[in-house]
Amino acid sequence: MRGKDEVRGSLFSYVELEQRVRPDHPLRTIRAIVNAALAEMSAEFDALYPPTGRDSIPPKRLLRGLLLQAFYSIRSERQLVERIDFDLLFRWFVGLGVDDPVWDATTFTKNRDRLLGGEIAGRFLATVVAQPKVRALLSTEHFSVDGTLLEAWASTKSFRPKDGSGPPPDAGRNGEQDFRGQKRRNETHASTTDPDAKLFRK
C-alpha cells in the first residue's frame, strides 16, 4: 500500500531528546568529558557573574556551543544559533530541551566575549585536556612537518641547457620534453620563461 505524504501535527512528543541521539555517536563521549571539566569550573563561573540581575546564557551551555562551532566549522555565531534552533543533536549537546528558546546571536556573542575576556575559555580547554580520558590519548612524542612554500612561476619543461645544447621541445606552448638521462642543475640549466626560477629538490 502506498504511504500518504501527509504532515500530522502533534501537541506532545513522547520521545526524549536523549533517545534521538544514537548510543555510539562520538559527541556522547565528548559531552561526558566536557561536563566533567565544566563541573570542576563551577566556582570560577560563579566569580565571573554578579549575584543579582537578569539571567544570562549559562556559561556551560555557551562553551558547549563554541565547541560545536569548532567541530562543525560553523563560520559565525549567527549560523551557530540557527543550527542550534533546528538541529536536535545540537540542542542535546548544548543542553537545551526541544521547546527551549534559543538565544539571540548578538547576546551569544556578547557573553562569549565575557568568557574570553575572563580567560575562562583557555582554562576550560586546559581542564578538558587534564581529564583522564583525554590524557590517555595524548603523547609526549613530537614531530615536525616541513611546510616550506615554494613559489613557482616556471614549468620544469622550460628549463634548457644554458649552452643551447639539447633537443628542442615539441611544438606548442607547453611542449613535451624528455628529461631521462639528463642531469639538470641550476649551474647548467635555466628557465626560458622565468630567468629567476630555480630547480629545487627536497
Side-chain angles (χ1 to χ4, degrees), residues 72-194:
Y72 289 88
S73 302
I74 300 175
R75 293 177 294 176
S76 66
E77 284 79 14
R78 187 170 301 280
Q79 289 182 346
L80 174 64
V81 170
E82 290 177 359
R83 183 78 180 267
I84 294 174
D85 192 21
F86 69 79
D87 195 324
L88 294 180
L89 176 66
F90 276 42
R91 279 183 171 270
W92 167 81
F93 187 85
V94 169
L96 291 174
V98 176
D99 298 324
D100 291 338
V102 183
W103 325 285
D104 185 78
T106 55
T107 306
F108 187 92
T109 303
K110 182 177 180 181
N111 283 270
R112 180 209 60 191
D113 292 340
R114 175 186 295 178
L115 292 182
L116 294 178
E119 299 180 356
I120 291 293
R123 275 179 286 202
F124 166 65
L125 293 177
T127 307
V128 168
V129 172
Q131 295 298 310
K133 290 184 178 180
V134 179
R135 197 181 309 130
L137 302 175
L138 302 179
S139 172
T140 57
E141 296 181 4
H142 292 79
F143 65 93
S144 60
V145 177
D146 184 5
T148 305
L149 174 63
L150 298 178
E151 295 184 358
W153 291 95
S155 169
T156 56
K157 299 177 183 178
S158 69
F159 280 85
R160 309 284 297 150
K162 292 181 180 179
D163 59 5
S165 64
D170 292 345
R173 179 173 169 269
N174 195 17
E176 291 296 325
Q177 182 84 346
D178 186 9
F179 301 123
R180 291 184 181 179
Q182 297 183 22
K183 292 185 178 180
R184 301 188 303 159
R185 296 187 299 272
N186 290 321
E187 294 77 15
T188 59
H189 289 68
S191 172
T192 57
T193 58
D194 185 4

